[in-house]
Amino acid sequence: MRYDVVVVGGGHAGIEASIAAARLGARVALALPHPDRIGVMPCNPAIGGPGKSQLVFELQALGGVMGELADATAIHARTLNASKGPAVQSLRVQNERDGYASAARELVETTPGVELLRGEVAAAEVRDGAVAGVRLTDGRVASAPAVVLCTGTFLAGVVWYGKKRREAGRQGEAPARHLSSSLRESGHRLLRFKTGTPPRIRADSVDFSVLDVVSADDPPGSFSGRPGPRAAETPTWLTHTTEATHALIAENLSQSAMYGGEIDSQGPRYCPSIEDKVVKFRDKDRHLLFVEPDGVRTSEVYLQGFSSSMPPILQDDMIRTLPGFELAEIQRYAYAVEYDALDPTQLDVTLMSKRLPGLFSAGQINGTSGYEEAAAQGLVAGVNAARWAGGEEPVTVRRDQGYLGVLLDDLVRWGIDEPYRMLTSRNEYRLLHRQDNADERLVEVGHAWGLVSDERRDAALRSKGRVHAEAERLERVRYGGDSGAKLLRRPNTDYRDVVARVGPSETQLSADEMRRVEILVRYASYIERSEKQLSARAAYERLELRGVEFEAVPSLSNEGREMLRRGRPATLGAAQRLRGVRDSDVTALLVHLKRRGPVSRETPRAG
């Protein structure tokens, strides 16, 4: 069996990787034990949220598929942080769980160039120091010059229900039993992480009349510009823990797999279990919980914020301390899962291994947490795997271009000691990298990669032109002595109010374009300041460090020299972001580069 690219795993990373590689002309094998599990959402069936929606909008701009799948199967769409600034406003879409998986499977199976290969991958095949395909547990070999590992939580996975453990990648599915050994044999360092999921409750056992209703936006937002037909159809609800919940957990902490000593691997700081919340936030007498449907045709609701590794019998008692859940019945119990992950500092920003050329990885195997982070990596890995197989130069997204660039940079430059979750606070350029302008920033990149059509790129550029032209017009036109832009910056004034006074644009704008005009005008001074800061920092990104012997650079601190030796940053900008590299070290490198030879006229001055 010969292919150009083998993708291992059919989760969100594997979906993006296989489709992207195939659309670039590669012959792709998608290897997994159970093709019917493609696109399964083992945790909350929702896409987006702070830091995550920005990734999905960027995926959409680059030619990915997650946004379209989310919109097509949406049952509740709402913009979070709507009362705050545009830098942190984030769309979150609740999905029909089974519908999302079904749509994902259909898309994968109908993508020309993708072939499903059923079986468990046991090892990477290596020839002449590079990957040459994969070997399955039944002895079959799928030959390929590029392999993308998208194994999620399956590498040596162990699931915990209280003190009871079973080998599994997630509930009801066997782990990847052999691949960890193969990775170690090829020189890779592995980490051990954990994550968890809340219980699913029988919807007909919940008293929704006492819960607070959270309605969808009307009209609903979307990632693709095409809201799903049911995106405002279903509400979600709120409940909370009580003193009885906290007391029950505190009395039985020894029964928890994590607090009872069975699990010592590192879990996600920003998605703690309910046991973690009770222990670490003792001053809080309640924790907010979101009650979200798994779909309009399923009998389950998902209790977001209540992940646990307590035994099932205790989980029954715990949920019945919650308002509205006094008679609730659990349909699927919460559990924790431990799994192996690659140390991502062994990758470069194309997500190819530095240890084994041709081997790429994406998603939770790289130590991240979340569907969106996985899908974003899957796209980059799939594109680069196809390019590697075709003998083309690699591509990536830089930190100054978007959240995807921040994700890649954080992983491979700094490394991680816990599951990584994207947050808006991680992005120093967040005002420039908003979800509303993802097309403006990245659609031409996606077009250059070959994933975005001429028509879509041209439409995005025309839209950008209309928005910026209208923002400039509002700076010029006047009403009663004030410019239209000044009027728009007044409180409780929107775009339609202003054009009613100064007159409409010559070209008709969509509702989305009107909103983008409002952002450009209202935040003009902040955006300009951020763009100047970005421009100054971008100069460092253009200064390459390839060939620099850090031992020979005078005035470097000992710690800085060691961190540079370990990280081998490609540019001065990447060096600046390494932990342990001081401003004085950056200045020393800059002086060294100037002395070594000609540099760009855009090079910033030392000091």
Side-chain angles (χ1 to χ4, degrees):
M1 299 182 290
R2 293 186 177 275
Y3 303 93
D4 298 311
V5 177
V6 175
V7 177
V8 182
H12 301 285
I15 290 166
E16 297 287 353
S18 57
I19 291 175
R23 286 179 175 176
L24 294 181
R27 185 185 177 202
V28 179
L30 178 57
L32 71 170
H34 303 290
D36 60 328
R37 304 297 286 171
I38 292 172
V40 165
M41 293 174 140
C43 242
N44 193 349
I47 301 296
K52 295 171 175 283
S53 74
Q54 288 81 359
L55 282 173
V56 182
F57 276 102
E58 291 178 1
L59 266 173
Q60 184 70 22
L62 290 166
V65 300
M66 174 174 267
E68 294 179 3
L69 290 171
D71 289 340
T73 58
I75 59 173
H76 180 100
R78 187 165 65 96
T79 296
L80 309 183
N81 298 323
S83 61
K84 299 181 180 179
V88 296
Q89 291 175 2
S90 306
L91 178 65
R92 186 173 186 276
V93 172
Q94 189 77 18
N95 296 102
E96 175 80 46
R97 182 194 63 203
D98 296 339
Y100 187 100
S102 177
R105 286 196 300 274
E106 181 179 3
L107 182 57
V108 169
E109 290 169 355
T110 57
T111 296
V114 177
E115 179 181 329
L116 297 183
L117 180 61
R118 184 163 189 160
E120 180 188 343
V121 171
E125 290 284 291
V126 179
R127 188 177 304 121
D128 298 327
V131 81
V134 299
R135 185 175 70 255
L136 277 63
T137 54
D138 60 11
R140 288 178 295 165
V141 173
S143 299
V147 172
V148 187
L149 300 180
C150 305
T151 53
T153 60
F154 280 72
L155 282 188
V158 174
V159 165
W160 291 91
Y161 297 86
K163 302 282 187 177
K164 294 183 178 180
R165 71 188 295 277
R166 69 180 67 164
E167 293 186 354
R170 60 189 175 207
Q171 191 176 56
E173 294 183 69
R177 298 163 292 173
H178 309 289
L179 196 49
S180 290
S181 297
S182 174
L183 289 169
R184 289 192 181 96
E185 289 170 5
S186 57
H188 292 90
R189 295 186 306 277
L190 299 184
L191 309 170
R192 191 71 173 166
F193 284 158
K194 88 159 191 74
T195 189
T197 187
R200 267 62 164 201
I201 318 297
R202 285 184 51 137
D204 60 6
S205 69
V206 178
D207 181 3
F208 291 97
S209 68
V210 302
L211 305 184
D212 295 326
V213 175
V214 180
S215 299
D217 290 343
D218 189 14
S222 70
F223 295 110
S224 65
R226 298 179 296 279
R230 299 177 298 163
E233 183 172 302
T234 308
T236 60
W237 301 267
L238 294 175
T239 188
H240 57 83
T241 60
T242 63
E243 290 183 3
T245 315
H246 295 201
L248 184 60
I249 291 171
E251 291 166 6
N252 292 278
L253 273 177
S254 63
Q255 299 301 307
S256 163
M258 185 173 66
Y259 282 94
E262 273 69 27
I263 296 178
D264 58 6
S265 51
Q266 185 61 48
R269 179 186 314 181
Y270 298 104
C271 191
S273 67
I274 191 63
E275 296 100 288
D276 266 337
K277 292 178 184 179
V278 170
V279 171
K280 294 177 180 178
F281 304 101
R282 295 181 184 276
D283 57 326
K284 296 192 69 170
D285 58 5
R286 56 159 42 177
H287 294 283
L288 199 62
L289 303 172
F290 291 85
V291 183
E292 300 178 325
D294 265 7
V296 293
R297 297 187 183 92
T298 64
S299 60
E300 298 175 349
V301 292
Y302 178 97
L303 197 55
Q304 186 189 350
F306 208 78
S307 67
S308 176
S309 61
M310 286 289 201
I313 192 169
L314 272 172
Q315 291 185 40
D316 288 327
D317 294 336
M318 286 159 56
I319 65 162
R320 289 169 188 157
T321 64
L322 309 176
F325 287 74
E326 292 83 358
L327 300 176
E329 297 178 17
I330 295 178
Q331 197 147 297
R332 288 189 288 164
Y333 287 97
Y335 61 89
V337 56
E338 287 186 288
Y339 56 97
D340 286 346
L342 283 168
D343 179 346
T345 61
Q346 299 166 110
L347 311 173
D348 63 27
V349 290
T350 71
L351 295 180
M352 186 170 75
S353 169
K354 298 175 184 177
R355 306 281 190 270
L356 188 58
L359 181 68
F360 298 81
S361 55
Q364 284 178 283
I365 188 176
N366 289 343
T368 58
S369 173
Y371 306 147
E372 301 83 0
E373 292 89 338
Q377 293 170 74
L379 184 81
V380 172
V383 167
N384 280 304
R387 295 178 74 91
W388 175 268
E392 299 178 81
E393 288 296 310
V395 295
T396 193
V397 176
R398 301 189 312 270
R399 189 180 189 96
D400 62 323
Q401 288 180 299
Y403 274 80
L404 181 44
V406 172
L407 170 64
L408 297 173
D409 192 63
D410 281 355
L411 290 177
V412 308
R413 304 298 184 200
W414 290 355
I416 52 175
D417 52 18
E418 63 182 39
Y420 178 102
R421 178 179 180 176
M422 179 51 71
L423 307 167
T424 55
S425 60
R426 295 190 190 276
N427 189 344
E428 63 269 36
Y429 309 123
R430 56 187 169 272
L431 182 57
L432 301 180
H433 297 164
R434 308 179 307 275
Q435 64 177 27
D436 67 90
N437 70 349
D439 264 6
E440 291 188 18
R441 291 183 283 113
L442 293 173
V443 74
E444 289 184 277
V445 174
H447 180 266
W449 290 0
L451 294 178
V452 173
S453 67
D454 292 345
E455 293 77 14
R456 179 153 175 262
R457 178 205 55 184
D458 293 345
L461 293 179
R462 287 194 298 271
S463 178
K464 175 183 177 180
R466 289 192 294 270
V467 168
H468 285 262
E470 180 63 356
E472 292 169 4
R473 183 184 78 93
L474 293 181
E475 294 285 357
R476 297 192 307 269
V477 295
R478 309 191 75 76
Y479 178 84
D482 292 328
S483 69
K486 186 174 181 179
L487 295 174
L488 187 51
R489 293 184 186 113
R490 291 177 178 173
N492 303 317
T493 302
D494 63 19
Y495 174 79
R496 287 186 174 86
D497 296 331
V498 172
V499 296
R501 301 177 186 178
V502 302
S505 168
E506 292 182 1
T507 57
Q508 187 172 0
L509 303 183
S510 67
D512 174 67
E513 289 169 340
M514 293 179 193
R515 172 62 179 151
R516 286 157 56 197
V517 169
E518 291 177 349
I519 291 171
L520 282 181
V521 171
R522 288 173 177 162
Y523 295 89
S525 61
Y526 301 100
I527 291 173
E528 182 180 4
R529 185 188 310 159
S530 294
E531 286 174 340
K532 287 180 179 178
Q533 293 171 346
L534 177 61
S535 179
R537 293 181 181 181
Y540 285 158
E541 303 294 343
R542 293 190 289 269
L543 293 180
E544 292 192 356
L545 295 178
R546 290 185 179 88
V548 172
E549 294 296 332
F550 299 118
E551 292 80 1
V553 178
S555 304
L556 283 177
S557 68
N558 290 335
E559 183 185 16
R561 184 175 280 109
E562 178 62 24
M563 292 300 104
L564 290 164
R565 257 198 312 258
R566 283 191 203 170
R568 304 302 306 177
T571 66
L572 188 62
Q576 187 181 36
R577 293 188 294 275
L578 287 175
R579 291 172 182 165
V581 174
R582 307 170 187 173
D583 289 343
S584 60
D585 296 326
V586 174
T587 300
L589 286 169
L590 188 54
V591 170
H592 178 77
L593 289 173
K594 285 187 174 182
R595 288 175 177 168
R596 190 176 68 165
V599 294
S600 167
R601 282 178 287 179
E602 298 174 302
T603 302
R605 295 179 180 177

